[in-house]
Amino acid sequence: MSRTLVVSDSLVIAATPAALYDRVSRPALMGRWSPENLGATVRGADGPGGGPGTDEGAGRGTDPERQTGVGDVFDGRNKRGPARWTTRCTVTVADPGRRFAFRVHAIGLRTPRLRGSIATWEYRFEPVPGGTRVTEVWRDDRRDWPDFVANAFDRLATRGHTFAAFQARNIRTTLRNLKRVVEDESG
């Protein structure tokens, strides 16, 4: 059985593209709207950085909730039921008010030690009447996994679903929660 490698959904939110980008490009805040993510720690956010792509981050400031830019690295804390794990991610696109994307390239329980292509997450911001259409995209980057292995793993990890079906529900929930948080703050 082949698998779906890309899932996306969109929702119009009563806010500007810049305001929405500002929130989404701060991985430490993601736990406020994601059903699975508990937030993130930008590597190097507590001291001077060593440059893009290094373990120390890009050195753009000491605020742990700061916006991230291309090359910044962050560790996301996640949960699903009783399971907890950490992912290491690198920002790949940071186009303020338009697009924000990051690649997940390591995973582990407390420290992301298992390296490999896992997923790419992308957010697109399009001005429309009444606000901004936010599109969230998940790409399965496990291209070197045979379909039968990925499908078996997915069903075990998601209690019977493929990751595509599971992420479609997560994306819908994330967008609804983002809308609620942003519109409540501005209302």
Side-chain angles (χ1 to χ4, degrees):
M1 172 170 115
S2 66
R3 61 190 152 134
T4 302
L5 297 173
V6 179
V7 176
S8 67
D9 201 352
S10 300
L11 188 65
V12 174
I13 300 176
T16 66
L20 290 160
Y21 177 91
D22 181 65
R23 285 173 177 83
V24 170
S25 65
R26 298 174 188 268
L29 302 179
M30 184 62 73
R32 294 180 64 196
W33 40 83
S34 170
E36 199 168 84
N37 182 269
L38 300 171
T41 302
V42 179
R43 295 176 62 77
D46 58 352
T54 68
D55 280 346
E56 289 78 29
R60 279 192 268 285
T62 59
D63 179 2
E65 293 185 359
R66 69 176 170 81
Q67 275 189 335
T68 53
V70 172
D72 281 342
V73 176
F74 62 92
D75 289 351
R77 296 175 312 281
N78 304 282
K79 67 165 177 51
R80 184 178 307 135
R84 302 282 188 269
W85 69 97
T86 302
T87 56
R88 175 131 323 132
C89 308
T90 299
V91 176
T92 57
V93 178
D95 186 1
R98 292 177 171 225
R99 283 180 63 216
F100 179 75
F102 59 89
R103 177 177 61 89
V104 182
H105 54 85
I107 190 168
L109 294 179
R110 290 192 178 147
T111 303
R113 297 187 192 281
L114 181 61
R115 297 174 189 229
S117 297
I118 298 168
T120 299
W121 290 90
E122 179 181 356
Y123 298 85
R124 299 178 193 145
F125 309 95
E126 175 189 358
V128 297
T132 301
R133 176 177 294 113
V134 180
T135 301
E136 183 175 5
V137 181
W138 170 81
R139 287 182 180 79
D140 186 344
D141 291 342
R142 302 170 302 155
R143 312 278 172 159
D144 55 345
W145 288 34
D147 286 346
F148 76 93
V149 172
N151 283 324
F153 175 83
D154 293 358
R155 290 181 190 290
L156 179 66
T158 66
R159 297 184 184 152
H161 305 282
T162 64
F163 265 128
F166 185 80
Q167 295 300 15
R169 282 193 303 280
N170 277 354
I171 288 171
R172 174 50 63 175
T173 301
T174 297
L175 291 173
R176 285 180 181 156
N177 289 343
L178 179 62
K179 178 180 178 75
R180 179 184 43 77
V181 167
V182 169
E183 291 180 356
D184 284 354
E185 286 176 357
S186 65

